């Protein structure tokens, strides 16, 4: 990896849940793509689990619940940091979402989105991560995450030209690879939607509005990839998916939280056409 490369913090809590969804609660911020993964799988599977939404603006105190729509009615946390402190008083890392919370033991079970979506799928019958497709789904998830989903962050938070150039090449190599894959497939693993699709979608939804400009991934826009755009439209039109995407929260979060990239906190008006909304 090049000098100056962005390195993502590893998730701290990776436990399996005890009991079913009724014992648990989900904390998310719809501004965050990793959170939206969990929100999408919850929505499309009809999983009955409570949910709390953090405010899109995050300062040095982390994800907040100032009230109204952004309230924590389970624990009354003002900041999600409180949940981390209760679970592990020695935790010193960055507070991240999503968080799967055990209401009975009063602690975080898991804060890794990749784990949480599998848990949700298992709770609802396992149709999104079938045994006969797991190897293919895992392979897809691996390179899509490394090159594209984490790649946009590596480009955005690079500390050197070399690191940025490396990340940029990876992002557009992955987009070209996805475009070619979807030339003769409806979804990533074939004719049926799987967890691979719901994991990828949040990054595609944010690409033109945020990553293209804010993270300097300006080689092409999503709307210039016809197969990917068709695919994004299809997934976005699935029942209950659109309600998990809050563009105003997404833009507020990225353009007001990363002062090193946008110190004036000016939120761009465009793009006016994302290509996948009706």
């Amino acid at each position: 990896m090049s000098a100056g490369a962005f390195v993502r913090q590893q998730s701290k809590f990776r436990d399996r849940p005890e009991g079913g969804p009724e014992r648990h609660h989900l904390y998310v911020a719809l501004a965050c793509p990793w959170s939206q993964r969990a929100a999408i799988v919850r929505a499309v599977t009809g999983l009955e689990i409570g949910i709390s939404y953090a405010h899109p603006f995050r300062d040095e105190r982390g994800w907040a619940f100032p009230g109204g729509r952004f309230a924590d009615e389970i624990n009354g946390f003002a900041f999600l940091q409180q949940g981390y402190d209760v679970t592990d008083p020695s935790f010193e890392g960055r507070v991240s979402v999503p968080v799967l919370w055990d209401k009975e033991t009063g602690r975080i079970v898991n804060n890794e989105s990749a784990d949480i979506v599998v848990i949700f799928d298992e709770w609802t019958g396992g149709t999104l991560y079938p045994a006969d497709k797991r190897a293919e789904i895992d392979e897809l998830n691996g390179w899509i995450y490394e090159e594209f989903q984490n790649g946009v962050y590596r480009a955005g938070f690079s500390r050197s030209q070399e690191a940025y150039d490396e990340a940029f090449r990876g992002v557009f190599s992955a987009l070209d690879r996805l475009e070619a894959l979807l030339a003769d497939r409806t979804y990533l693993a074939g004719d049926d939607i799987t967890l691979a699709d719901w994991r990828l979608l949040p990054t595609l939804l944010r690409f033109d509005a945020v990553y293209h400009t804010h993270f300097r991934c300006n080689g092409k826009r999503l709307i210039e990839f016809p197969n990917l755009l068709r695919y994004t439209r299809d997934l976005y039109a699935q029942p209950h998916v659109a309600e998990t995407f809050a563009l105003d929260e997404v833009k507020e979060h990225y353009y007001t939280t990363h002062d090193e990239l946008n110190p004036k906190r000016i939120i761009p008006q465009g793009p006016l056409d994302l290509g996948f909304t009706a």
Side-chain angles (χ1 to χ4, degrees), residues 26-42 51-54 63 80 96-99 111-114 116-117 120 153 198 202 206 244:
L26 181 65
Y27 288 101
V28 301
L30 292 186
C32 166
W34 320 113
S35 270
Q36 193 188 359
R37 289 177 171 182
I40 287 174
V41 175
R42 172 184 178 269
I51 190 168
S52 295
Y53 299 97
W63 296 105
L80 191 55
S96 65
V97 283
V99 159
N111 72 330
E112 170 52 59
S113 66
I116 291 172
V117 294
F120 285 4
Y153 284 84
W198 295 134
R206 287 159 176 74
T244 71

Side-chain angles (χ1 to χ4, degrees), residues 204-214 221 245 247 250-251 254-255 268 270-271 274 276:
L204 296 175
L205 298 180
R206 287 159 176 74
F207 194 82
D208 285 2
V210 175
Y211 303 142
H212 180 274
T213 301
H214 189 55
R221 289 182 57 194
F245 182 59
L247 181 60
V250 168
K251 292 173 74 171
Y254 284 94
Y255 288 109
L274 292 174
F276 54 80

Side-chain angles (χ1 to χ4, degrees), residues 126-130 132-134 136-137 140 181-182 184-199 230-231 234-235 238:
T127 59
L128 295 173
Y129 192 45
D132 63 337
K133 292 225 171 177
R134 283 183 188 173
E136 182 178 10
I137 292 169
L140 286 161
L181 180 68
L182 293 167
D184 55 7
R185 290 188 176 194
T186 305
Y187 305 110
L188 293 179
D191 294 330
D192 299 315
I193 297 173
T194 68
L195 283 183
D197 301 297
W198 295 134
R199 283 177 46 133
R230 181 267 307 159
Y231 167 83
D234 181 320
L235 291 176
Q238 297 295 322

Side-chain angles (χ1 to χ4, degrees), residues 221-242:
R221 289 182 57 194
L222 174 65
I223 59 172
E224 297 177 65
F225 295 90
N227 297 329
L228 269 167
L229 183 58
R230 181 267 307 159
Y231 167 83
T232 303
R233 283 174 176 159
D234 181 320
L235 291 176
Y236 188 75
Q238 297 295 322
H240 308 299
V241 172

Side-chain angles (χ1 to χ4, degrees), residues 15-28:
D15 291 344
R16 297 284 304 172
E18 298 179 15
E22 69 284 347
R23 175 170 161 169
H24 296 84
H25 189 76
L26 181 65
Y27 288 101
V28 301

